[in-house]
Amino acid sequence: VCGLTGVAGTAWYAIRGAYRTLVYDKLLGAYFADASLTRLAFEREDAAIDFDWASGAPADSMPSDHFSVRWQGWLRIPDNGEYVFYLASDDGARLYLGNKLLIDIWGDHKILEADARVRLDKGRIPIRVEYYENTGLAAVKLSWSSERFDKTVIPPQYFSH
């Protein structure tokens, strides 16, 4: 629930008596220096989940193999209706919407895409994507489609955290 509006792209909201800034147009990415989402290296805001690191790393301070990322925040659903979510990764990835596991391609593999169809109501829903890289190439992409638009990477204006 939002209260006072802050600077452009932010709003203030209360959680258990503490105020926090709501950031629009980005998800919060927690980057881990291991493949098991345990050794936090850094956090940053990402506008979309559309990364192809090839044989590189997400940052100079990260290993190029054996790393993981957890993105979380809110996804704004523009209209009531049926949506198809697509998650592509090399290696493993999972998509949660509203704390429900929607796509699970967790495992070592070359680039693989899975999809899930779900009916959603207009509004905001919690979103979480988990990804890990074991060895070799590293890539992850989150897209969607509906009867109103073709498949596309989810644009930043639908994210907040």
Side-chain angles (χ1 to χ4, degrees):
V1 176
C2 294
L4 302 172
T5 300
V7 295
T10 65
W12 297 98
Y13 65 99
I15 297 179
R16 294 185 200 131
Y19 284 92
R20 184 167 174 220
T21 303
L22 183 66
V23 178
Y24 292 100
D25 301 334
K26 293 179 174 60
L27 289 174
L28 182 62
Y31 287 74
F32 298 87
D34 61 23
S36 59
L37 299 162
T38 55
R39 282 190 339 178
L40 181 64
F42 65 91
E43 292 182 329
R44 74 178 185 200
E45 296 170 332
D46 291 320
I49 300 175
D50 184 11
F51 296 98
D52 185 352
W53 293 292
S55 58
D60 291 340
S61 62
M62 296 281 294
S64 59
D65 288 322
H66 310 293
F67 68 85
S68 52
V69 186
R70 179 183 295 121
W71 291 276
Q72 52 191 351
W74 296 89
L75 176 65
R76 183 174 58 83
I77 307 302
D79 297 294
N80 295 341
E82 189 171 86
Y83 292 81
V84 181
F85 289 86
Y86 308 87
L87 184 59
S89 68
D90 177 351
D91 288 293
R94 298 185 279 232
L95 168 64
Y96 296 83
L97 280 183
N99 298 316
K100 178 183 175 191
L101 180 59
L102 199 61
I103 297 175
D104 186 356
I105 50 175
W106 200 255
D108 295 350
H109 51 76
K110 294 182 188 243
I111 196 75
L112 175 68
E113 181 176 81
D115 62 76
R117 187 175 303 268
V118 62
R119 181 161 294 284
L120 296 170
D121 293 330
K122 181 178 179 175
R124 293 193 189 277
I125 187 169
I127 184 170
R128 183 172 84 229
V129 174
E130 297 175 339
Y131 165 77
Y132 83 90
E133 160 58 7
N134 189 19
T135 61
L137 300 178
V140 61
K141 181 189 291 191
L142 178 64
S143 305
W144 66 350
S145 65
S146 79
E147 62 256 3
R148 292 176 186 82
F149 56 86
D150 293 331
K151 180 180 175 184
T152 185
V153 170
I154 300 177
Q157 65 263 29
Y158 294 100
F159 293 129
S160 60
H161 76 88

